[in-house]
Each structure stands twice: as C-alpha cells, then as structure tokens.
Amino acid sequence: MAEVGRLRNALDFRRVRAARNISYFKSMVVYQSPGAGSRSRVGIAVGARLGNAVIRNRMKRRIRAASWHELAACERSRDLVIVARRAALQSDFADLRRAIRHAITRGANE
C-alpha cells in the first residue's frame, strides 16, 4: 500500500485547485493535481454552514478515511482537495469511497 499524507498548507490547497481538474458529486467536489512529492496527499474543507464543530469533524474523518483507502491503491502520487457538501452527512462510507475512486480514475485518464 502506498503512503498517504495530508495537505495542510494554504499554498498547496491553491495549487491543487488551480489545476482545474474537478469532479462534482452529490456529496463532495474533488479537485486533484499530480502529486508534488513521492506520496499522495489529501486536504478536506468543510464549511461552517454544514453544522457545528462535532458534525464538521465527523465529516472530515469519514472523508479522510475513504480517501486514504482509495489513494493507497494508486500507482502515481496525486494531491486531492475535497470540499464536502451537505449530502455527505447522510452518505454511506461506500458511497464516499465510490465517489473518490471515480474522481481518481477520471483524473488519471486526463
């Protein structure tokens, strides 16, 4: 399994979003770019409108776990920025993984 890290720097978030490789889903929006290092990284944004801190942190943990499962199976490193939508609150873990997998395979083809 490949190693997966976290995006923490605002400049990295901007670089990934500027790559304009975007996938839209009911539960999230996924931006991606080729990885800047030897490992894949993921950054998650959840707006304050989606709920209080407990709900936002739960959403981030679920999305992070789903993305790590999918990114660990990738051959090449890539950076993802995932922006959660309200539907992510009710989405199954399998649905989150499916959306991220679809975004990664779509991005690998471009």
Side-chain angles (χ1 to χ4, degrees):
M1 288 179 80
E3 193 175 333
V4 179
R6 291 171 63 179
L7 283 175
R8 297 174 190 251
N9 189 344
L11 292 174
D12 288 333
F13 271 78
R14 278 189 241 144
R15 180 186 53 79
V16 173
R17 292 184 69 168
R20 306 298 295 165
N21 187 349
I22 308 169
S23 299
Y24 298 95
F25 301 98
K26 183 177 178 182
S27 59
M28 67 184 77
V29 178
V30 180
Y31 298 87
Q32 64 179 305
S33 71
S38 61
R39 65 182 183 166
S40 296
R41 299 179 303 168
V42 63
I44 300 165
V46 180
R49 293 185 301 163
L50 298 182
N52 62 22
V54 173
I55 292 171
R56 292 193 313 267
N57 288 333
R58 183 178 298 137
M59 289 174 62
K60 285 190 245 185
R61 283 192 305 269
R62 291 181 73 225
I63 292 171
R64 188 175 296 118
S67 63
W68 283 3
H69 282 288
E70 297 304 324
L71 283 173
C74 290
E75 311 86 39
R76 297 184 328 208
S77 70
R78 64 186 73 240
D79 291 341
L80 298 180
V81 171
I82 300 173
V83 180
R85 290 182 168 176
R86 188 166 301 280
L89 288 169
Q90 290 84 25
S91 294
D92 295 332
F93 189 70
D95 291 336
L96 296 175
R97 284 187 66 177
R98 193 174 308 116
I100 293 168
R101 184 179 324 121
H102 181 73
I104 289 171
T105 56
R106 183 188 154 275
N109 296 333
E110 290 182 356

